[in-house]
Amino acid sequence: MVLYILGFVYIFISFVFRKKYNPFWGWLIVFIVMAFQSNVPGDYVSYLTDFIKIAADSHHLDSLQTEKGWNYINYIFSKVANFKVMIFCISLVEYLALASFTKRYALRGFAFVSALIFYFSTNMMLFQMKGIRQGLAVELSLMALMFIDLKGVMRGGFYSILLLILSYFIHSSSAIFFPFVFIAILMKKYDWSMFKSSSQNFIFPSVITSIYVLLYIFKVVAIDFIQPLLLGISLGGREGYFGEMEFVDYNILITVCGAIFTFAVAYVMQVQNGFLKFLSLLTLIALFMEMFFYGMGNLFRLTLYVGIVSLVTLPNVSSYLCMKNHKIAAWIFSCLVIAYFWRGFITQSIYHSYNGFDNYICLLYTSPSPRDA
C-alpha cells in the first residue's frame, strides 16, 4: 500500500517542480526505494543465499551457475562489506546511469515523466528490484550506448565494449544488446549520416503502425506453433530457458496504446537527428518486441535492454507536441504513457506483497547477512 501512496506523492511532486526539474533530484525516490529494499519477492532471496555461500567459502565462485562477473562482485563485497551495501552500490550505479541518461536526452517540460515511467513499470523498477543481476546489466548496457555518443568512436567505443563485456559477465542475456551498440559505433563513425531529419508525413508512421498491428494478429494466430520451437532453446548455459513460457494475450486496450505509441514515435522520429533519432528507432523495436514477446516468460525479459531507452523517447513525444502548441494533446499522451506502464503495477498480484514496504522506508531489515553480526 505504501508503494501506491508514494507513487501518487511522486506524481504530485514531479508535476509541481516540472519546470525546474533536475533528473538527479527527480530520480532520488527511485534510488531510495531500490537502495533500501529487503526481501523483495523474486530472485532477491536466492541472490542473498549465493552471497552467503561465497562469503563462507570462495570455492563457490566456480560452483554457482550465475555468471563469473556477478560471483566476483559478490566475493568483493563479502570481504569489505555486506549484502545490503552491495545492493546500495548497485542501486547507486543504476541511479546515476538513469539520471544521466534523462538529463542528457530528455527534453525539458516532460522530462519528469521518465522517472515516473520507471517507477510504475513492473518491467523496470520493480523487476530490477527482484532481478538485481539483470537490472545492473541493463543499466551497464545503457551506459555503453551513451558513451558512444558522449566520447566519440575511438574512446567511446573502447569504454562501450568494456561495459558490454562487464554486463555480459553479470548477466549473459545482455548479449542481445550488443548488435545495437555496434551499429551505434558504426553510425557514429559516419556522423549519423543515415539518421538525419527528414520531411514529416503520415505515411511512414502509418506503415510502421500497420506492421505492428499485422504482427500482433500473426502472433495471436501462430502462437501455438511458435511456442514449441522456443521450449528447446538454451540461453546462458541454461537448458529450457523458455520452459516457463506461458502465452498471455494483450488486452485490446493495451494493444491500442502500443499502436498509438508506435505511430507517435515514428512521426516525431522523422524530424529528429543523430543519436535521438537512433533512440527512437530502438524504441520502435522495443514496442514491437514487447508486443510480440509479451507472455513468453524469459523471452520477454530480453526486451528490457532495448525498452529502457523509452524513458526519454516517449516523454520527448509530449515535449514535441507541446512545442507545436498542442499542450492538451501533450498532457493526454503523457497520462496515457504513465497509465500504460502502470497497468502491471495495479494488476500484477506479486505486488500485493509490497504492502510491507515500510521495511524500505524505515530502513528496517530482517534478512540475514553473513556480516550482520
Side-chain angles (χ1 to χ4, degrees), residues 106 110 200 345:
F110 288 87
Q200 220 166 13
F345 193 93

Side-chain angles (χ1 to χ4, degrees), residues 162-208:
L162 286 181
L163 285 168
L164 287 179
I165 293 172
L166 178 59
S167 68
Y168 179 80
F169 283 104
I170 289 174
H171 204 290
S172 59
S173 63
S174 65
I176 193 174
F177 201 65
F178 287 14
F180 299 111
V181 174
F182 291 134
I183 291 172
I185 293 174
L186 183 62
M187 292 299 101
K188 180 71 174 181
K189 181 180 180 180
Y190 292 100
D191 197 28
W192 301 101
S193 58
M194 294 180 62
F195 289 86
K196 302 296 183 182
S197 62
S198 58
S199 58
Q200 220 166 13
N201 60 70
F202 289 103
I203 297 176
F204 174 70
S206 297
V207 170
I208 298 298

Side-chain angles (χ1 to χ4, degrees), residues 42 80 140 181 218 268:
V80 300
L140 289 176
V181 174
F218 171 77
V268 173

Side-chain angles (χ1 to χ4, degrees), residues 102 104-108 110-111 113-114 117 264-265 268 272 276 279-280 309-323 333-334:
T102 305
R104 177 75 181 180
Y105 302 109
L107 303 178
R108 293 182 63 85
F110 288 87
V113 176
S114 299
I117 291 174
V265 172
V268 173
Q272 292 176 322
L276 277 179
L279 293 180
S280 291
V309 302
S310 64
L311 290 174
V312 300
T313 51
L314 291 178
N316 282 353
V317 170
S318 295
S319 297
Y320 173 82
L321 291 172
C322 196
M323 286 187 291
F333 186 82
S334 292

Side-chain angles (χ1 to χ4, degrees), residues 59-277:
H59 289 94
H60 286 291
L61 287 169
D62 298 318
S63 62
L64 294 175
Q65 291 186 350
T66 47
E67 283 79 355
K68 291 294 186 290
W70 175 254
N71 292 343
Y72 277 99
I73 289 175
N74 279 261
Y75 177 75
I76 292 170
F77 276 97
S78 70
K79 294 302 181 182
V80 300
N82 57 37
F83 187 71
K84 299 170 192 175
V85 174
M86 186 179 80
I87 296 300
F88 181 92
C89 292
I90 289 173
S91 300
L92 180 62
V93 171
E94 294 172 338
Y95 157 74
L96 292 174
L98 293 167
S100 299
F101 182 63
T102 305
K103 185 176 180 64
R104 177 75 181 180
Y105 302 109
L107 303 178
R108 293 182 63 85
F110 288 87
F112 73 94
V113 176
S114 299
L116 296 179
I117 291 174
F118 190 85
Y119 181 90
F120 287 111
S121 174
T122 55
N123 299 325
M124 294 188 185
M125 185 186 78
L126 294 179
F127 172 80
Q128 291 191 15
M129 287 168 65
K130 76 185 188 68
I132 303 165
R133 187 164 54 97
Q134 188 170 2
L136 178 58
V138 168
E139 264 72 80
L140 289 176
S141 300
L142 180 64
M143 290 169 63
L145 191 64
M146 290 173 60
F147 267 115
I148 298 167
D149 182 55
L150 298 175
K151 300 296 182 180
V153 176
M154 296 301 295
R155 198 158 55 135
F158 175 74
Y159 292 144
S160 295
I161 291 173
L162 286 181
L163 285 168
L164 287 179
I165 293 172
L166 178 59
S167 68
Y168 179 80
F169 283 104
I170 289 174
H171 204 290
S172 59
S173 63
S174 65
I176 193 174
F177 201 65
F178 287 14
F180 299 111
V181 174
F182 291 134
I183 291 172
I185 293 174
L186 183 62
M187 292 299 101
K188 180 71 174 181
K189 181 180 180 180
Y190 292 100
D191 197 28
W192 301 101
S193 58
M194 294 180 62
F195 289 86
K196 302 296 183 182
S197 62
S198 58
S199 58
Q200 220 166 13
N201 60 70
F202 289 103
I203 297 176
F204 174 70
S206 297
V207 170
I208 298 298
T209 306
S210 297
I211 296 173
Y212 178 94
V213 173
L214 289 173
L215 185 62
Y216 170 75
I217 295 172
F218 171 77
K219 173 188 175 180
V220 173
V221 173
I223 187 63
D224 290 336
F225 301 98
I226 297 172
Q227 188 171 4
L229 297 177
L230 293 171
L231 294 179
I233 295 178
S234 63
L235 186 67
R238 299 177 182 83
E239 295 293 335
Y241 187 80
F242 304 117
E244 298 177 358
M245 186 181 72
E246 182 178 339
F247 176 64
V248 181
D249 195 6
Y250 256 177
N251 179 283
I252 188 63
L253 292 177
I254 298 301
T255 307
V256 170
C257 283
I260 291 173
F261 297 158
T262 300
F263 184 91
V265 172
Y267 183 73
V268 173
M269 176 183 174
Q270 295 175 95
V271 297
Q272 292 176 322
N273 281 294
F275 193 68
L276 277 179
K277 192 163 192 169

Side-chain angles (χ1 to χ4, degrees), residues 344-358:
F345 193 93
I346 297 174
T347 60
Q348 297 279 339
S349 59
I350 183 175
Y351 301 109
H352 292 307
S353 58
Y354 282 79
N355 289 338
F357 203 72
D358 54 300

